[in-house]
C-alpha cells in the first residue's frame, strides 16, 4: 500500500463534504500588477493585529521614529511586536476604531509621516542555512510576522509547535474567497520571493514533502511558481478544483492528504504544517532582507471602485485613503465597505479604519452587486445549511442553541469546529445570519472560560498564600520554641533557674504578707455587718410570728414623726381655716360673751371640717396609727386613762354615726323633741350617765346593722374582740389597742366626710352645743340627749333594710351597760366599739354615694 506521500506525488486528490460555488468576480482585480500605494498623511497602528497578547509600548507621544523601528516589545511566544511603517513622529497614542467585526475601539499609535522614508538599521540573516531553527524562529517573531491568510496566528509560535514532527508542509495558495486576488497577484509578481520563503520554512521544519495547494482558477500564478521550483526543492505544486471553502486549513488538508484534523486539534497533531504564501513572502523579507512586516498586499475591488486592483499598503493606512487611490465612488442608495471577502468579511462602521496585518481585501460593492441583508425569517428546516457545511455540522441546531444562550449544547454540537466560512448563511433561504450567531456564542464561551481560568488562578494564589502564611507561622513558632529552649539551657548552665525560683518565692511571700492585713482590715467589718443583718432578719421573723406580742421599741422615732406630721396638719388646717373665715365673713363681736363664743365655736368647727377633707386623700394611715399607738404607750399603766380612751373611742363612733345623717333633711324636729324630753332628768347626774350609756349601746347597734350587707367582716371582728379580751388584763396593751382604734375611727370619719357637702348646719348646731360651759350639768345633759337622738336616727335608717337584728342588738346593749370603771370590760367594750365604728363608716359611705348632694353656704 502506497504511503500518503507517494499518493500525493502521484497526483491523488481527495474531497471534503459540502461546499458551494459562489460567483468569483476575481477578474476585476487580478489583471493588473500590484501597485505602490502612496504615503498617507497619517498612519494608525493598532497594538493588537494578531492572535495573542499585545506588547509593551516602547514609544510615547512626540517621539521621532524611523521606518522599521520596533514600537512594542514582548517576550511572550504567542505575541509579535509592531514596527513603524515609515519615518515620522508619534503624535498620539489613543483609542481608535479597529478592523474587527465588533466595530469597537482599541489602543492605537498614531504616526505622522515625514516623507523621508528613513530606515532603521536592518538585521538580515547572512546565511539562513547556517542558522539554527530556533534562531530563525526567534528572528521571525521579532520581525512581527503573523499569519496573513486571515487568522493572524503568530508565525514563530506556529513553527515552534511543528519542530521535529512535521512530515508534510503545505502552502495555502487556494484563495477561495470571491473577489480576493491578493495572493494570486503576489504569486504572479513575486513568485521567486515566495519560493525562497518556502525554502526557509523547509530549513526550519525539515518536512519530508512540501505541497503548494492552488485552485485551478489561477493559471498565471501556477505557471509563475512552477518556473521557480526545481527538482531538488522537494516541492510539489498541486492544482485542486475550485470550490468554496477549499482554502480553509482543514479542508485543504483533506483535499491534499485525505487526513482530517481532529476536533479541537491542530494540523501539527497529525504531522502537517500549513502556512499562507503571503506569510512565506514576509518570512523571506524578514530573514533575507531584514525587513519587518510593515506592509502587505491588499485587494481593492467592487463595482463602486473605478480601477480595482491590488496595492502594497503600509500597515495603518486608512481604508478611505486606499479607496480614493483606486477611484472609489460610494453607492448612493446603499453605501457600504466590506473588510475581507463577501463570504467571511464584515461591514466597516466607517472608512477611517486602518489596514492591519490580516487585512487582505477591501470590497466596496453596489446594492445590486451584493444584495443587502434583509430581515431574518424563521427557519424552515430545509437542511440546505447542513448540506453546504464543509465540517459536517448541524448549523440550524447550533443557531437555536446560540440564540437561546445554551452554550453547553453549542459545545456539545462542536461549535468550535465551525470555520465561519459563511456557506450556511449563503444558502439559507430564510436569510438567517448564522455566522453572526456562531461568532457571538464563541466570544461568550471564550469569555466565560477566561473567567474560570482567572478564578482558578486566583484560587491557586490564595491557597499558595495560605500555605505560605501557615508555613511562616510554623517556622516562627519553631524559632520561638528553639530560642526558649536555648534560654533554658543557658539559665541551667549559669544557675538562672535558682534566680527565677527565688523571684517567684519573693512574689508569693509578698502576697502572703499582704493577705493577713487585708483580712484583718476587712473581714471583721464584713462579719459584723453580716451579724447585724442576720439579727435584723431574725427580729423581723420573730415579730412576724408573734404579731403584736413582740413590738420593736421605736417609740422615740415614732413620736418625732408624729409630732412633725401633727405640726404640718395644724399649719394646713390653720391655712384652710383662715381661707374659710375670709370667705364666710365671720360676724364681728357683738358685745355679748355668749354669742361671741358661739361664733368662735362655729369657726373652729369649719376649720376642723376643712382639715378633715384635706386628710380624705391620704392613703398612708398605717404610720399615724402606729405612731398614735406608740404615743398611747405612756399612760398604759393607768386604768383610769384607759377607760378615758375607751370613752373617746365611743364618742368618735357616735360621730361616725352622725355622718350617716347627711342624707336626712327632716331630722331637725325629732331631735328637738327628744332634746326637750331629755331635759327633765337633767338635774340628776346619775340618770344622765345612764342615758349616755343607752345612747352608746344604740350607736353600737346601728353599727351592727351596717354589718348585715358585709359577710366577710365577721372573722376580723371576732379576732379583734379576742385580741382585746386577751389584752384586757394588760392595761398597756389595752391602751395601745384603744389608740389604734381611735386612729382608724378618724380615718373612717374622714372618708365618710369626703362625700358630704351639706353638713354645715349640723356642725353649727354641734358647735353651739359644744360652746356651752362644760361645768353646767344641765347643759351637758341637753347635749347628751341631742347626741342620743342623732344616734337613734342613724340606727333607724340602718334598720330600714335590716329586720333580723333585734336580738343581737339587745344583747350588745346590755353588754355595753356595764360600768365604765372596770378596765377589763372597758377594753372589751372599746374593741367592740371599734369594730362597729368601722362598719358604720362603711355603711355611711354607701349611703353618701346614693344620697343627693346639697350645697349650702353659711
Amino acid at each position: 500500500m502506497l504511503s500518503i506521500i507517494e499518493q500525493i506525488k502521484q497526483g491523488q486528490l481527495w474531497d471534503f463534504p459540502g461546499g458551494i460555488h459562489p460567483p468569483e468576480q476575481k477578474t476585476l482585480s487580478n489583471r493588473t500588477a500590484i501597485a505602490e500605494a502612496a504615503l498617507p498623511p497619517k498612519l494608525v497602528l493598532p497594538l493588537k493585529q494578531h492572535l495573542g497578547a499585545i506588547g509593551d509600548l516602547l514609544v510615547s507621544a512626540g517621539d521621532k521614529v524611523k521606518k522599521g523601528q520596533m514600537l512594542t516589545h514582548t517576550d511572550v511566544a504567542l505575541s509579535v511586536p509592531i514596527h513603524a511603517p515609515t519615518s515620522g513622529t508619534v503624535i498620539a497614542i489613543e483609542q481608535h476604531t479597529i478592523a474587527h467585526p465588533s466595530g469597537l475601539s482599541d489602543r492605537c499609535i498614531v504616526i505622522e509621516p515625514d516623507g523621508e522614508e528613513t530606515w532603521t538599521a536592518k538585521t538580515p540573516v547572512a546565511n539562513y542555512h547556517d542558522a539554527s531553527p530556533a534562531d530563525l524562529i526567534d528572528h521571525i517573531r521579532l520581525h512581527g510576522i503573523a499569519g496573513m491568510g486571515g487568522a493572524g496566528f503568530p508565525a514563530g509560535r506556529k513553527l515552534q509547535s511543528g519542530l521535529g514532527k512535521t512530515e508534510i508542509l503545505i502552502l495555502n495558495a487556494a484563495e477561495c474567497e470571491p473577489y480576493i486576488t491578493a495572493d494570486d497577484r503576489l504569486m504572479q509578481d513575486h513568485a521567486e520571493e515566495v519560493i525562497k520563503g518556502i525554502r526557509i520554512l523547509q530549513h526550519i521544519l525539515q518536512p519530508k514533502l512540501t505541497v503548494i495547494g492552488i485552485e485551478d482558477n489561477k493559471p498565471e500564478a501556477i505557471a509563475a511558481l512552477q518556473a521557480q521550483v526545481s527538482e531538488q526543492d522537494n516541492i510539489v505544486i498541486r492544482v485542486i478544483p475550485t470550490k468554496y471553502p477549499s482554502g480553509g486549513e482543514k479542508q485543504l488538508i483533506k483535499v491534499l492528504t485525505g487526513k482530517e484534523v481532529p476536533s479541537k486539534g491542530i494540523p501539527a497533531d497529525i504531522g502537517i504544517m500549513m502556512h499562507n504564501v503571503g506569510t512565506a513572502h514576509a518570512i523571506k523579507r524578514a530573514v533575507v532582507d531584514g525587513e519587518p512586516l510593515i506592509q502587505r498586499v491588499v485587494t481593492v475591488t467592487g463595482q463602486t471602485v473605478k480601477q480595482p486592483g491590488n496595492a502594497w499598503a503600509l500597515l495603518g493606512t486608512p481604508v478611505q485613503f486606499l479607496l480614493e487611490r483606486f477611484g472609489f465612488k460610494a453607492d448612493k442608495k446603499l453605501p457600504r465597505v466590506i473588510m475581507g471577502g463577501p463570504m467571511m468579511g464584515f461591514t466597516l462602521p466607517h472608512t477611517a479604519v486602518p489596514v492591519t496585518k490580516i487585512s487582505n481585501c477591501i470590497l466596496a460593492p453596489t446594492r445590486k452587486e451584493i444584495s443587502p441583508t434583509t430581515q431574518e425569517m424563521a427557519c424552515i428546516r430545509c437542511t440546505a445549511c447542513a448540506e453546504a457545511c464543509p465540517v459536517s455540522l448541524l448549523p440550524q441546531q447550533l443557531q437555536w442553541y446560540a440564540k437561546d444562550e445554551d452554550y453547553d449544547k453549542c459545545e456539545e454540537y462542536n461549535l468550535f469546529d465551525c470555520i465561519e466560512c459563511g456557506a450556511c448563511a449563503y444558502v439559507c433561504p430564510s436569510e438567517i445570519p448564522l455566522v453572526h450567531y456562531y461568532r457571538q456564542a464563541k466570544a461568550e464561551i471564550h469569555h466565560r472560560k477566561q473567567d474560570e481560568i482567572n478564578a482558578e488562578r486566583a484560587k491557586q494564589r490564595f491557597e499558595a498564600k495560605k500555605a505560605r502564611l501557615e508555613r511562616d507561622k510554623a517556622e516562627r513558632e519553631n524559632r520561638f520554641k528553639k530560642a526558649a529552649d536555648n534560654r533554658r539551657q543557658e539559665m541551667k548552665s549559669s544557675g538562672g533557674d535558682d534566680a527565677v525560683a527565688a523571684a517567684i518565692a519573693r512574689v508569693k511571700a509578698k502576697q502572703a504578707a499582704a493577705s493577713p492585713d487585708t483580712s484583718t482590715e476587712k473581714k471583721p467589718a464584713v462579719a459584723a455587718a453580716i451579724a447585724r443583718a442576720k439579727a435584723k432578719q431574725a427580729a423581723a421573723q420573730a415579730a412576724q410570728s408573734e404579731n403584736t406580742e413582740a413590738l420593736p421599741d421605736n417609740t422615740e422615732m415614732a413620736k418625732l414623726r408624729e409630732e412633725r406630721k401633727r405640726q404640718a396638719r395644724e399649719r394646713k388646717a390653720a391655712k384652710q381655716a383662715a381661707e374659710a373665715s375670709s370667705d364666710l365673713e365671720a360676724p364681728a363681736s357683738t358685745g355679748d360673751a355668749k354669742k361671741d363664743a358661739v361664733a368662735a365655736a362655729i369657726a373652729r368647727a369649719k376649720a376642723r371640717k376643712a382639715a378633715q377633707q384635706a386628710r380624705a386623700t391620704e392613703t398612708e394611715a398605717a404610720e399615724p396609727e402606729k405612731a398614735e399607738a406608740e404615743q398611747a404607750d405612756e399612760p398604759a399603766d393607768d386604768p383610769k386613762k384607759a377607760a378615758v380612751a375607751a370613752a373617746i373611742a365611743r364618742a368618735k363612733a357616735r360621730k361616725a354615726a352622725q355622718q350617716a345623717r347627711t342624707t336626712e333633711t327632716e331630722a331637725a324636729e325629732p331631735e328637738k323633741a327628744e332634746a326637750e324630753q331629755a331635759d327633765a332628768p337633767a338635774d340628776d347626774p346619775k340618770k344622765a350617765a345612764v342615758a349616755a350609756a343607752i345612747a352608746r349601746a344604740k350607736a353600737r347597734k346601728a353599727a351592727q346593722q351596717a354589718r348585715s350587707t358585709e359577710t366577710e367582716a365577721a372573722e376580723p371582728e371576732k379576732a379583734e374582740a379576742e385580741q382585746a379580751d386577751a389584752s384586757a388584763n394588760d392595761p398597756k396593751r389595752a391602751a395601745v389597742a384603744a389608740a389604734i382604734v381611735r386612729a382608724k375611727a378618724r380615718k373612717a370619719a374622714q372618708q365618710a366626710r369626703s362625700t358630704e357637702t351639706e353638713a354645715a348646719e349640723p356642725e353649727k348646731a354641734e358647735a353651739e352645743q359644744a360652746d356651752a360651759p362644760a361645768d353646767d350639768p344641765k347643759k351637758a345633759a341637753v347635749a347628751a340627749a341631742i347626741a342620743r337622738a342623732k344616734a337613734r336616727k342613724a340606727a333607724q335608717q340602718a334598720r330600714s333594710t335590716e329586720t333580723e337584728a333585734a336580738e343581737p342588738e339587745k344583747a350588745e346593749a346590755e353588754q355595753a351597760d356595764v360600768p365604765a370603771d372596770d378596765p377589763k370590760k372597758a377594753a372589751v367594750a372599746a374593741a367592740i366599739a371599734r369594730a362597729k365604728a368601722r362598719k358604720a363608716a362603711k355603711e355611711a359611705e354607701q349611703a353618701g354615694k346614693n344620697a343627693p348632694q346639697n350645697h349650702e353656704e353659711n
Side-chain angles (χ1 to χ4, degrees):
M1 183 177 179
L2 297 176
S3 64
I4 297 297
I5 296 176
E6 292 175 348
Q7 293 178 20
I8 294 173
K9 288 181 178 181
Q10 290 182 1
Q12 185 175 350
L13 295 175
W14 289 264
D15 195 8
F16 61 88
I20 57 175
H21 296 82
E24 295 180 1
Q25 302 291 340
K26 290 182 179 290
T27 56
L28 291 174
S29 58
N30 67 351
R31 297 182 180 275
T32 58
I34 301 173
E36 292 289 341
L39 189 65
K42 183 174 65 174
L43 296 172
V44 180
L45 295 169
L47 298 183
K48 187 176 178 63
Q49 301 184 32
H50 55 274
L51 292 179
I54 62 175
D56 298 328
L57 276 171
L58 299 178
V59 295
S60 58
D63 291 350
K64 296 286 186 179
V65 295
K66 294 182 179 181
K67 189 174 183 177
Q69 178 180 337
M70 189 181 291
L71 303 180
T72 62
H73 173 73
T74 178
D75 293 329
V76 180
L78 194 63
S79 178
V80 292
I82 61 174
H83 301 76
T86 186
S87 60
T89 305
V90 178
I91 60 175
I93 298 175
E94 60 187 7
Q95 296 287 326
H96 197 280
T97 306
I98 62 173
H100 191 271
S102 65
L104 299 177
S105 299
D106 201 358
R107 202 176 184 192
C108 300
I109 301 173
V110 182
I111 298 176
E112 184 178 14
D114 56 10
E116 297 180 1
E117 295 289 324
T118 304
W119 271 92
T120 187
K122 298 181 181 180
T123 57
V125 177
N127 187 1
Y128 69 86
H129 294 287
D130 298 333
S132 65
D135 293 339
L136 290 175
I137 290 173
D138 191 57
H139 183 84
I140 292 170
R141 183 183 66 83
L142 291 177
H143 280 71
I145 309 301
M148 302 178 69
F153 197 87
R157 181 68 182 87
K158 194 172 186 178
L159 290 170
Q160 190 176 16
S161 66
L163 284 176
K165 56 181 180 180
T166 302
E167 295 182 357
I168 301 174
L169 173 62
I170 298 177
L171 274 300
N172 188 349
E175 199 173 38
C176 61
E177 180 86 26
Y179 285 92
I180 303 176
T181 60
D183 291 345
D184 186 5
R185 286 312 311 183
L186 180 64
M187 289 184 289
Q188 293 182 41
D189 299 342
H190 301 278
E192 183 181 358
E193 291 183 299
V194 171
I195 297 300
K196 287 183 179 180
I198 294 173
R199 291 174 182 148
I200 295 172
L201 293 173
Q202 286 179 320
H203 174 73
I204 295 171
L205 297 173
Q206 298 296 320
K208 295 179 181 180
L209 180 65
T210 301
V211 181
I212 300 175
I214 185 171
E215 287 186 336
D216 57 7
N217 59 355
K218 302 175 181 63
E220 295 86 358
I222 294 171
L225 291 175
Q226 288 177 345
Q228 298 296 327
V229 174
S230 61
E231 294 182 0
Q232 63 269 20
D233 288 332
N234 195 23
I235 298 175
V236 176
I237 299 175
R238 187 63 63 223
V239 180
I240 62 175
T242 300
K243 181 183 179 181
Y244 183 83
S246 59
E249 184 179 57
K250 294 181 179 181
Q251 285 69 42
L252 186 58
I253 291 173
K254 176 68 174 177
V255 170
L256 294 176
T257 65
K259 291 185 177 183
E260 291 186 1
V261 179
S263 178
K264 299 181 181 179
I266 58 176
D269 296 337
I270 58 175
I272 298 175
M273 178 67 64
M274 179 177 288
H275 285 278
N276 184 267
V277 290
T279 307
H281 179 269
I283 289 173
K284 181 267 173 184
R285 287 285 184 95
V287 174
V288 176
D289 302 326
E291 296 179 4
L293 181 57
I294 59 175
Q295 64 179 359
R296 67 155 299 145
V297 179
V298 179
T299 301
V300 180
T301 185
Q303 294 184 5
T304 60
V305 178
K306 185 177 181 180
Q307 299 174 349
N310 293 276
W312 284 105
L314 296 176
L315 302 182
T317 301
V319 171
Q320 180 65 33
F321 180 81
L322 282 177
L323 290 173
E324 292 176 355
R325 166 73 174 76
F326 288 93
F328 168 70
K329 186 177 181 180
D331 187 82
K332 294 182 180 179
K333 294 185 178 180
L334 185 64
R336 56 176 173 165
V337 176
I338 299 173
M339 178 73 76
M343 301 300 297
M344 300 181 67
F346 54 91
T347 303
L348 296 176
H350 52 77
T351 57
V353 174
V355 172
T356 63
K357 295 177 182 181
I358 59 176
S359 301
N360 57 1
C361 178
I362 298 174
L363 176 60
T366 61
R367 180 176 59 87
K368 294 181 179 180
E369 185 178 4
I370 298 178
S371 60
T373 303
T374 58
Q375 186 176 2
E376 176 184 344
M377 294 178 286
C379 176
I380 61 174
R381 305 194 181 205
C382 63
T383 71
C385 57
E387 294 174 358
C389 180
V391 196
S392 301
L393 299 177
L394 297 174
Q396 75 279 12
Q397 289 187 275
L398 287 173
Q399 186 261 343
W400 295 337
Y401 294 137
K403 192 173 183 179
D404 195 40
E405 298 183 357
D406 189 351
Y407 301 121
D408 293 335
K409 279 289 186 180
C410 289
E411 292 191 81
E412 182 181 343
Y413 279 79
N414 302 314
L415 173 65
F416 284 94
D417 287 343
C418 175
I419 62 174
E420 301 178 17
C421 64
C424 55
Y426 181 81
V427 300
C428 180
S430 299
E431 298 187 7
I432 301 173
L434 297 168
V435 178
H436 290 235
Y437 286 106
Y438 304 154
R439 286 174 178 169
Q440 183 177 0
K442 286 181 179 180
E444 183 64 26
I445 292 172
H446 278 303
H447 181 69
R448 292 189 178 187
K449 287 185 176 180
Q450 188 62 40
D451 289 344
E452 292 177 1
I453 292 172
N454 294 337
E456 183 63 25
R457 289 176 180 173
K459 180 180 178 182
Q460 292 176 358
R461 289 196 301 269
F462 173 75
E463 291 177 351
K465 179 182 178 181
K466 184 177 180 181
R468 177 174 54 80
L469 293 176
E470 292 178 354
R471 185 171 59 254
D472 293 344
K473 182 180 178 181
E475 291 177 356
R476 188 165 55 253
E477 291 177 353
N478 292 334
R479 188 169 61 252
F480 292 160
K481 184 178 180 181
K482 185 176 180 181
D485 294 340
N486 293 336
R487 285 196 299 272
R488 291 191 188 96
Q489 293 295 333
E490 292 177 0
M491 292 171 66
K492 284 183 179 181
S493 60
S494 61
D497 284 347
D498 297 337
V500 173
I504 294 173
R506 286 195 299 273
V507 171
K508 289 182 178 180
K510 288 181 180 179
Q511 292 178 352
S515 59
D517 297 338
T518 306
S519 62
T520 56
E521 292 177 0
K522 296 182 179 180
K523 286 185 178 180
V526 173
I530 293 172
R532 287 195 298 272
K534 288 182 178 180
K536 289 180 180 180
Q537 185 177 5
Q541 291 177 353
Q544 185 178 2
S545 62
E546 295 177 2
N547 292 331
T548 58
E549 293 180 2
L551 298 175
D553 189 7
N554 54 355
T555 305
E556 296 298 329
M557 294 302 297
K559 286 181 179 181
L560 292 175
R561 287 195 299 270
E562 181 60 24
E563 181 64 22
R564 287 195 295 269
K565 291 180 180 180
R566 185 186 62 77
Q567 292 176 359
R569 286 195 299 270
E570 288 180 356
R571 287 193 297 271
K572 189 173 182 180
K575 184 178 180 180
Q576 292 178 351
E579 293 175 356
S581 62
S582 63
D583 293 339
L584 296 174
E585 296 180 359
S589 175
T590 59
D592 191 349
K594 186 175 181 180
K595 290 182 179 181
D596 292 341
V598 170
I602 293 171
R604 286 194 300 274
K606 291 181 178 180
R608 283 196 304 273
K609 181 179 179 182
Q612 290 170 357
Q613 290 176 349
R615 287 195 301 271
T617 60
E618 298 177 3
T619 60
E620 63 280 359
E623 290 297 330
E625 292 173 3
K626 293 181 181 179
E628 191 166 350
E630 292 170 356
Q631 290 176 0
D633 192 22
E634 293 178 357
D637 295 335
D638 192 350
K640 187 176 181 179
K641 291 183 178 180
V644 171
I648 293 172
R650 288 192 297 273
K652 290 182 177 180
R654 287 195 300 274
K655 186 175 182 181
Q658 291 171 1
Q659 291 174 355
R661 285 175 300 178
T662 57
T663 59
E664 300 175 3
T665 57
E666 69 280 359
E669 294 301 326
E671 288 175 0
K672 290 180 181 180
E674 191 168 350
E676 291 173 357
Q677 293 174 3
D679 191 18
D683 295 334
D684 190 353
K686 185 175 181 179
K687 291 182 179 181
V690 171
I694 293 171
R696 287 195 300 272
K698 290 182 179 181
R700 286 194 297 271
K701 183 177 179 181
Q704 289 174 355
Q705 291 174 353
R707 280 179 298 179
S708 61
T709 59
E710 301 176 1
T711 59
E712 68 277 4
E715 292 302 327
E717 290 174 2
K718 292 180 180 179
E720 192 169 353
E722 291 173 356
Q723 290 177 1
D725 192 17
S727 60
N729 296 328
D730 189 352
K732 184 176 181 180
R733 290 184 180 178
V736 171
I740 292 172
V741 169
R742 289 194 299 274
K744 291 182 179 180
R746 282 198 301 273
K747 184 176 179 181
Q750 291 168 2
Q751 291 175 349
R753 252 184 270 112
S754 62
T755 59
E756 299 176 2
T757 57
E758 66 279 359
E761 291 303 325
E763 288 177 358
K764 288 182 181 180
E766 189 172 353
E768 291 172 358
Q769 293 172 5
D771 192 57
D775 53 356
D776 190 352
K778 187 175 181 179
K779 290 182 179 181
V782 171
I786 293 171
R788 287 193 301 275
K790 290 180 179 181
R792 283 196 299 275
K793 185 69 175 179
Q796 289 172 0
Q797 290 176 351
R799 231 178 287 123
S800 62
T801 58
E802 302 172 1
T803 58
E804 67 279 359
E807 292 302 325
E809 289 174 2
K810 291 180 181 180
E812 192 166 346
E814 292 173 359
Q815 292 175 1
D817 198 33
V818 297
D821 53 355
D822 189 351
K824 184 174 181 180
K825 293 182 179 181
V828 173
I832 295 172
R834 286 194 299 272
K836 292 179 177 180
R838 284 196 299 271
K839 294 301 178 181
K842 290 180 182 179
E843 182 66 21
E845 245 183 80
Q846 293 178 356
K849 289 179 181 179
N850 298 327
Q853 301 293 328
N854 297 324
H855 300 279
E856 297 179 3
E857 294 182 0
N858 294 329

